């Protein structure tokens, strides 16, 4: 009897300790995510993400982010002075190329930036980050942030999204979503596929488009 009790307790512990696993609510309508990460250790509400690429946080810019590793690749449509960290609001006269590959090799991006017209275009290629792993995400986020960011059907998402560098708001790329707004940015995304090479990528077009007229409502 004692051995059976220990076995039951072990099975219960393994069931409850799975980070990122979905749990149905009593009504069966919404899905809640579980995480053992405390709020003070959360990369978003706890602020730990600001230790990664510290120069960029607080800027009116966005970045590509792996939800599996929390690596970021900034998309610098708005230029900033590295000394005083203020936005450079003057004519640049050039376009620039950015992007790169995440250190873990989960994804890579090639980005062209047109500072003067306020847009960026490029492509995002998937490797390990083609799949969103909710258990890996839960290592970095508390339960509240998981429920806020992850959709009800994570199978339609990839493991990469966009994060606003000023607000830390995150939007994950989804298979059937062709575009979305994040703050004053509009992100157009188009999934592409090469069946012959068994590869997929995402074409991106990002506009910085703040409201043209004041909203007094």
């Amino acid at each position: 009897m004692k051995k059976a009790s220990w076995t039951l307790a072990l099975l219960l512990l393994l069931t409850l300790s799975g980070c990122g696993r979905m749990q149905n609510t009593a009504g069966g309508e919404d899905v809640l995510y579980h995480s053992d990460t405390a709020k003070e250790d959360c990369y978003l509400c706890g602020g730990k993400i600001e230790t990664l690429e510290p120069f960029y946080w607080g800027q009116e810019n966005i970045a590509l982010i792996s939800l599996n590793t929390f690596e970021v690749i900034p998309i610098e449509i708005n230029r900033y002075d590295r000394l005083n960290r203020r936005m450079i609001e003057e004519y640049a006269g050039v376009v620039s190329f950015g992007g790169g590959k995440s250190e873990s090799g989960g994804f890579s991006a090639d980005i062209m930036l047109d500072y003067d017209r306020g847009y960026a275009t490029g492509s995002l290629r998937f490797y390990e980050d083609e799949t969103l792993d909710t258990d890996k995400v839960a290592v970095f986020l508390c339960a509240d942030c998981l429920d806020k960011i992850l959709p009800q059907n994570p199978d339609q998402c990839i493991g990469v999204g966009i994060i606003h560098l000023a607000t830390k708001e995150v939007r994950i790329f989804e298979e059937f979503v062709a575009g979305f707004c994040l703050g004053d940015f509009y992100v157009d995304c188009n999934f592409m596929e090469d069946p012959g090479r068994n590869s997929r990528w995402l074409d991106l077009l990002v506009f910085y488009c703040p409201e043209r007229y004041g909203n007094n409502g």
Side-chain angles (χ1 to χ4, degrees), residues 147-206:
D147 289 331
K148 183 178 179 181
I149 292 172
L150 297 186
Q152 294 291 298
N153 187 2
D155 293 336
Q156 295 181 357
C157 299
I158 64 171
V160 183
I162 294 284
I163 184 169
H164 197 293
L165 295 175
T167 65
K168 290 185 285 189
E169 183 181 357
V170 176
R171 180 68 185 265
I172 304 176
F173 291 121
E174 299 183 58
E175 293 267 3
F176 304 107
V177 176
F180 55 85
C181 288
L182 189 63
D184 286 335
F185 294 88
Y186 175 75
V187 181
D188 180 87
C189 35
N190 184 22
F191 280 91
M192 306 294 291
E193 188 168 356
D194 185 347
R197 298 184 178 181
N198 194 27
S199 65
R200 293 201 309 161
W201 68 94
L202 186 64
D203 281 341
L204 292 174
L205 179 60
V206 182

Side-chain angles (χ1 to χ4, degrees), residues 96-114:
S96 180
F97 293 91
K101 191 172 185 178
S102 62
E103 291 184 7
S104 65
F107 75 99
S108 67
D110 295 307
I111 304 292
M112 187 196 76
L113 303 154
D114 191 324

Side-chain angles (χ1 to χ4, degrees), residues 32-50:
L32 298 177
Y33 291 89
H34 171 74
S35 173
D36 294 325
T37 301
K39 281 189 171 292
E40 58 268 24
D41 296 324
C42 178
Y43 270 57
L44 292 183
C45 66
K48 292 193 69 174
I49 196 172
E50 295 178 15

Side-chain angles (χ1 to χ4, degrees), residues 5-161:
S5 298
W6 274 106
T7 302
L8 180 61
L10 179 59
L11 289 173
L12 181 61
L13 179 62
L14 290 174
T15 301
L16 295 177
S17 63
C19 292
R21 300 187 188 278
M22 296 183 291
Q23 301 173 347
N24 289 324
T25 59
E29 296 179 357
D30 295 328
V31 172
L32 298 177
Y33 291 89
H34 171 74
S35 173
D36 294 325
T37 301
K39 281 189 171 292
E40 58 268 24
D41 296 324
C42 178
Y43 270 57
L44 292 183
C45 66
K48 292 193 69 174
I49 196 172
E50 295 178 15
T51 62
L52 307 175
E53 302 283 358
F55 167 71
Y56 296 104
W57 297 103
Q59 292 185 7
E60 183 61 16
N61 273 320
I62 59 175
L64 296 165
I65 181 170
S66 165
L67 278 299
N68 296 325
T69 65
F70 265 67
E71 295 174 89
V72 295
I73 295 179
I75 301 176
E76 300 177 80
I77 292 178
N78 293 312
R79 296 181 300 150
Y80 278 76
D81 188 302
R82 287 190 171 270
L83 293 179
N84 57 34
R85 298 195 175 190
R86 293 180 181 175
M87 188 188 297
I88 302 174
E89 300 183 81
E90 60 185 43
Y91 185 70
V94 295
V95 296
S96 180
F97 293 91
K101 191 172 185 178
S102 62
E103 291 184 7
S104 65
F107 75 99
S108 67
D110 295 307
I111 304 292
M112 187 196 76
L113 303 154
D114 191 324
Y115 306 116
D116 297 322
R117 296 188 181 275
Y119 78 91
T121 184
S123 61
L124 168 64
R125 291 196 173 271
F126 318 122
Y127 304 103
E128 285 82 0
D129 285 331
E130 183 170 0
T131 301
L132 177 67
D133 189 328
T134 56
D135 286 344
K136 291 181 179 179
V137 183
V139 173
F140 301 97
L141 299 181
C142 66
D144 287 344
C145 286
L146 278 178
D147 289 331
K148 183 178 179 181
I149 292 172
L150 297 186
Q152 294 291 298
N153 187 2
D155 293 336
Q156 295 181 357
C157 299
I158 64 171
V160 183

